[in-house]
């Protein structure tokens, strides 16, 4: 795909911030509704590992024809994992936190699931608050990672470089990715680098909204994630 001019990137960023970061945050069910969302205790495989996902719309599966087509569900089904995925459209380490219902937070939700493995796939939406809120974003990343490790000392935590949706890449994406990788090291988590490039250059892998992957896009994300997990013996 030929890269568009920088002005197009600005328009695209604004569009994504509006579409992903607005009213759709209500899709989050919160920890009190975990069993209704299909928690391992209700719908999972007895005795299988519980694998939680702390993410945004790209982990929630927005744009897929069915939740089973999102990358997290594909890899969980392949490996016989019990998936706990309360991810939220538009959510960042800072962005849209104030839109969640009082007392609801994804960090608390994934901790409550007592996962054997935890994937952290956050950071995309925080680009829309950079650089104005850079100190807040950095501090939130540090706080979230520290809280997760304190509460889940035995959990295998896998931190994925923030996903991205266009070939154009703002400087903020590099900055946030570096912060995420640094905090992964600080808490002894594993890092998966390069994920922001996984659907780069393939407009046919995008849903009709032009912002999220379609089934083909999520299948490619699952394939790339499979490769990374295979290298780690998962």
């Amino acid at each position: 795909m030929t890269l568009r001019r920088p002005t197009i990137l600005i328009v695209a960023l604004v569009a994504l911030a509006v579409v992903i970061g607005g009213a759709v945050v209500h899709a989050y069910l919160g920890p009190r509704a975990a069993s209704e969302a299909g928690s391992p205790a209700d719908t999972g495989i007895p005795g299988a590992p519980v694998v939680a996902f702390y993410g945004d719309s790209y982990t929630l599966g927005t744009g897929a024809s069915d939740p089973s087509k999102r990358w997290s569900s594909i890899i969980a089904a392949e490996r016989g994992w019990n998936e706990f995925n309360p991810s939220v459209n538009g959510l960042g380490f800072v962005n849209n936190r104030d839109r969640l219902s009082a007392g609801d937070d994804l960090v608390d939700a994934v901790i409550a699931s007592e996962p054997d493995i935890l994937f952290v796939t956050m950071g995309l939406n925080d680009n829309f608050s950079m650089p104005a809120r850079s100190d807040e974003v950095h501090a939130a990343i540090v706080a979230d990672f520290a809280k997760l490790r304190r509460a889940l000392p035995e959990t295998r935590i896998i931190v994925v470089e923030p996903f991205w949706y266009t070939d154009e890449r703002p400087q903020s994406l590099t900055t946030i990715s570096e912060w995420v990788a640094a905090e992964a090291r600080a808490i002894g988590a594993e890092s998966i680098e390069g994920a922001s490039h996984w659907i780069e250059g393939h407009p046919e892998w995008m849903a009709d909204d032009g912002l999220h992957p379609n089934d083909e896009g999520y299948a490619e994300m699952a394939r790339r994630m499979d490769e990374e997990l295979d290298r780690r013996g998962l």
Side-chain angles (χ1 to χ4, degrees):
M1 176 190 292
T2 302
L3 294 183
R4 291 164 286 179
R5 292 176 295 178
T7 52
I8 301 301
L9 174 58
I10 296 172
V11 173
L13 287 172
V14 173
L16 186 63
V18 171
V19 175
I20 294 184
V24 290
V25 175
H26 72 271
Y28 177 49
L29 295 175
R32 290 190 299 275
S35 62
E36 296 173 16
S39 73
D42 290 328
T43 62
I45 305 167
V50 175
V51 181
F53 294 84
Y54 173 31
D56 52 36
S57 60
Y58 271 55
T59 301
L60 178 64
T62 301
S65 63
D66 185 85
S68 65
K69 302 292 186 180
R70 62 190 179 187
W71 68 267
S72 62
S73 295
I74 293 172
I75 65 169
E78 290 173 346
R79 288 166 170 76
W81 290 344
N82 287 320
E83 177 187 10
F84 178 74
N85 187 346
S87 298
V88 176
N89 281 316
L91 199 69
F93 290 104
V94 165
N95 270 32
N96 290 315
R97 292 285 174 170
D98 59 346
R99 294 178 180 268
L100 297 177
S101 301
D104 287 345
D105 190 82
L106 255 67
V107 174
D108 293 334
V110 297
I111 288 171
S113 74
E114 300 181 349
D116 299 287
I117 302 169
L118 169 63
F119 285 81
V120 178
T121 61
M122 292 280 286
L124 185 159
N125 292 291
D126 294 297
N127 284 277
F128 310 122
S129 291
M130 296 284 284
R133 302 179 68 186
S134 59
D135 289 346
E136 291 178 66
V137 173
H138 190 198
I141 294 170
V142 173
D144 276 7
F145 280 48
K147 181 176 181 178
L148 287 167
R149 179 50 81 200
R150 282 195 306 270
L152 301 170
E154 304 301 324
T155 296
R156 188 169 183 176
I157 300 178
I158 300 173
V159 177
V160 182
E161 178 180 288
F163 297 125
W164 194 243
Y165 74 109
T166 65
D167 292 1
E168 300 88 350
R169 303 166 62 81
Q171 177 57 42
S172 58
L173 181 59
T174 298
T175 300
I176 293 172
S177 296
E178 289 174 350
W179 289 341
V180 165
E183 292 314 306
R185 291 191 296 272
I187 67 167
E190 301 169 61
S191 290
I192 292 178
E193 300 178 355
S196 63
H197 294 282
W198 283 358
I199 56 174
E200 187 176 78
H202 288 275
E204 73 276 14
W205 290 345
M206 299 300 287
D208 290 341
D209 65 7
L211 304 173
H212 299 93
N214 57 19
D215 289 351
E216 288 184 87
Y218 282 117
E220 174 63 15
M221 292 171 71
R223 185 188 70 78
R224 297 293 294 269
M225 191 66 74
D226 274 332
E227 291 179 350
E228 295 289 343
L229 299 182
D230 286 345
R231 280 195 284 270
R232 291 164 172 78
L234 284 170

